[in-house]
Amino acid sequence: MQQLLPDDVIWRNARLATLDPSRSEPYGMLDNQALIVRDSMIVARVPESELPAHPHSIDLQGRLVTPGLIDCHTHLIFGGNRAAEWEQRLNGVSYQALSAQGGGINATVAATRASSPETLTALAEQRLRRLMREGVTTIEIKSGYGLNLDAEEKMLRVAHQLARQHAIEVSPTLLAAHAVPVEFRGDPDRYLTLVCEQIMPSLWQQGLFEAVDVFCENVGFSTAQTERVFQAATALGIPVKGHVEQLSRLGGAALISRFKGLSADHIEYLDDAGVAAMAQQGTVAVLLPGAFYFLQERQRPPVEQLRKQGVPMAVATDYNPGTSPFASLHLAMNMACVQFGLTPEEAWAGVTRHAAHALGRGATHGQLAAGFVADFIVWDAEHPVEMVYEPGRNPLYQRIFRGKVT
């Protein structure tokens, strides 16, 4: 039995879905349990019957407790919206015509560049609160709608501001290699020189991001161009990840794995060689069913091959204005099951321990176990499947961040 200290807090009489892979029970489920929290960490998980009397105990009355949810791929910060553009597309206007009119990603870049930090913060807060109300306690936020040094820095500083103002952990990612800005149209390599030689080293030196992302795709950057960015990042000691194999098969996942990247995201066109490379290096597959749905795609990621090779599968919202405007991780979990064939237990692992690994936090986040941060959710629900089965209903009872109710 863990030696209790006077300031410890016991969260008792709970049904724990620990998501601990060392447990054989589905979801790592344990009944009649208690969590002992010291400061901001879980120091023990003990049966209710072994608890001594303690002045600081909270009776959860048999409620379900899970780890806090982790949304490991979002584009939460941007100016404007693309609702009118989406309507035009549904009315038959082609993407090429919209782009020629200044639509697409460059419309969001223009709106983001023109927005003040205060405006971007206010807009992002609305989206963030919706995710927090569903139980999200850790979130990744990418830049990538600035595409120059000042605007990329502005976006990343807004991400840090959100972390300071809200009870949530933010993992900021530099996605300067998201698209070629209009001022470099026709010369992507010159733009990547700016990314590699100015934007990335300057913002890394300021401690504004944790990892570098690249949109490696036939409408983005080639594998050779992506490798150039990864080489520059690696030289600075920066972890890498990437948007890969979403619309075509370029070999981006294998490239990420060669650089021991954190995650390969989207991966609808991932082939067997890419799966094997990811399995060998421990690269996480991040599934993004919101974009798959919104774009009415048909090519599903190779979930069965990922299972067979033991590649961890995370699930995220991919919240963004162009292809996945869904600030609901519960909905993403449901979509991952319905569209991609994940089991509900796999979806839960995908928004907890596997999402934690995708953000380099696998040893500290995403499980209810000793040594993990005390981020957890108390639900008015009998079983974790309920949040996957019925995403419109949110049975959240309490959200605990770093051991405190928020």
Side-chain angles (χ1 to χ4, degrees):
M1 172 64 192
Q2 173 75 33
Q3 181 67 40
L4 293 177
L5 300 181
D7 291 334
D8 289 347
V9 177
I10 301 176
W11 298 79
R12 53 166 301 196
N13 192 14
R15 187 168 195 236
L16 303 182
T18 67
L19 276 298
D20 181 345
S22 70
R23 305 292 311 182
S24 60
E25 307 89 344
Y27 304 89
M29 195 75 76
L30 291 170
D31 287 321
N32 301 312
Q33 296 287 308
L35 294 173
I36 300 174
V37 174
R38 181 172 302 156
D39 298 323
S40 62
M41 303 296 292
I42 298 170
V43 295
R45 186 181 66 202
V46 297
E48 180 75 16
S49 60
E50 297 179 11
L51 281 178
H54 193 272
H56 302 299
S57 64
I58 299 170
D59 187 351
L60 296 178
Q61 300 178 324
R63 289 185 173 89
L64 176 68
V65 179
T66 70
L69 277 60
I70 300 170
D71 194 351
C72 65
H73 181 130
T74 83
H75 305 254
L76 202 74
I77 298 167
F78 57 87
N81 72 60
R82 306 242 289 275
E85 177 184 310
W86 179 64
E87 184 177 27
Q88 286 182 277
R89 280 169 50 199
L90 292 178
N91 285 328
V93 181
S94 71
Y95 182 80
Q96 291 81 359
L98 289 169
S99 295
Q101 298 166 13
I105 187 173
N106 279 312
T108 301
V109 171
T112 302
R113 287 179 175 181
S115 297
S116 68
E118 294 76 18
T119 296
L120 291 176
T121 300
L123 291 170
E125 279 180 330
Q126 297 173 24
R127 304 158 191 152
L128 182 62
R129 289 192 187 105
R130 287 153 62 191
L131 290 163
M132 291 173 65
R133 284 196 293 268
E134 285 196 346
V136 173
T137 54
T138 301
I139 188 169
E140 188 250 23
I141 300 177
K142 302 179 190 295
S143 68
Y145 291 123
L147 307 187
N148 63 35
L149 178 59
D150 290 344
E152 289 289 298
E153 178 178 348
K154 176 173 65 175
M155 292 185 69
L156 292 169
R157 290 196 181 281
V158 168
H160 283 267
Q161 182 71 8
L162 293 172
R164 286 191 295 269
Q165 292 179 343
H166 299 276
I168 195 161
E169 182 169 341
V170 173
S171 173
T173 295
L174 179 70
L175 182 56
H178 193 191
V180 179
V182 291
E183 61 268 26
F184 286 89
R185 181 171 290 160
D187 198 354
D189 291 318
R190 189 162 67 92
Y191 174 61
L192 289 183
T193 297
L194 176 69
V195 172
C196 295
E197 297 182 5
Q198 294 185 41
I199 296 176
M200 186 193 308
S202 173
L203 301 183
W204 178 248
Q205 187 176 31
Q206 295 177 61
L208 289 178
F209 64 92
E210 296 181 355
V212 163
D213 195 345
V214 179
F215 183 41
C216 178
E217 191 48 78
N218 54 17
V219 294
F221 296 96
S222 69
T223 51
Q225 291 167 331
T226 301
E227 183 170 6
R228 180 184 172 194
V229 177
F230 284 176
Q231 287 173 338
T234 301
L236 293 170
I238 306 171
V240 301
K241 60 178 74 171
H243 291 62
V244 294
E245 265 80 84
Q246 179 186 8
L247 305 171
S248 61
R249 185 175 293 125
L250 298 184
L255 176 64
I256 291 169
S257 300
R258 180 151 59 85
F259 281 86
K260 297 179 170 57
L262 292 168
S263 68
D265 301 27
H266 286 290
I267 60 167
E268 282 89 334
Y269 284 84
L270 181 65
D271 60 11
D272 289 350
V275 173
M278 292 173 67
Q280 183 176 8
Q281 294 298 336
T283 299
V284 177
V286 178
L287 306 181
L288 304 171
F292 179 90
Y293 161 82
F294 200 70
L295 293 174
Q296 301 181 68
E297 295 293 338
R298 294 293 180 264
Q299 177 77 25
R300 304 195 325 165
V303 165
E304 187 56 38
Q305 279 300 105
L306 293 165
R307 276 195 195 113
K308 287 179 180 177
Q309 294 287 336
V311 176
M313 293 180 284
V315 176
T317 63
D318 189 22
Y319 185 88
N320 75 79
T323 62
S324 188
F326 308 116
S328 171
L329 198 51
H330 295 190
L331 179 60
M333 295 163 74
N334 177 277
M335 288 179 170
C337 294
V338 173
Q339 297 185 131
F340 293 165
L342 265 64
T343 67
E345 185 177 3
E346 286 174 328
W348 265 101
V351 300
T352 54
R353 69 172 185 266
H354 292 163
H357 280 285
L359 298 182
R361 289 163 165 78
T364 55
H365 293 63
Q367 296 180 44
L368 300 180
F372 284 72
V373 295
D375 292 351
F376 53 91
I377 308 301
V378 183
W379 307 92
D380 269 326
E382 292 291 323
H383 194 277
V385 74
E386 294 176 38
M387 282 66 84
V388 185
Y389 160 73
E390 192 178 0
R393 169 180 171 262
N394 182 12
L396 188 146
Y397 176 74
Q398 284 181 320
R399 178 183 180 274
I400 291 83
F401 179 74
R402 299 298 188 271
K404 303 202 179 292
V405 178
T406 59

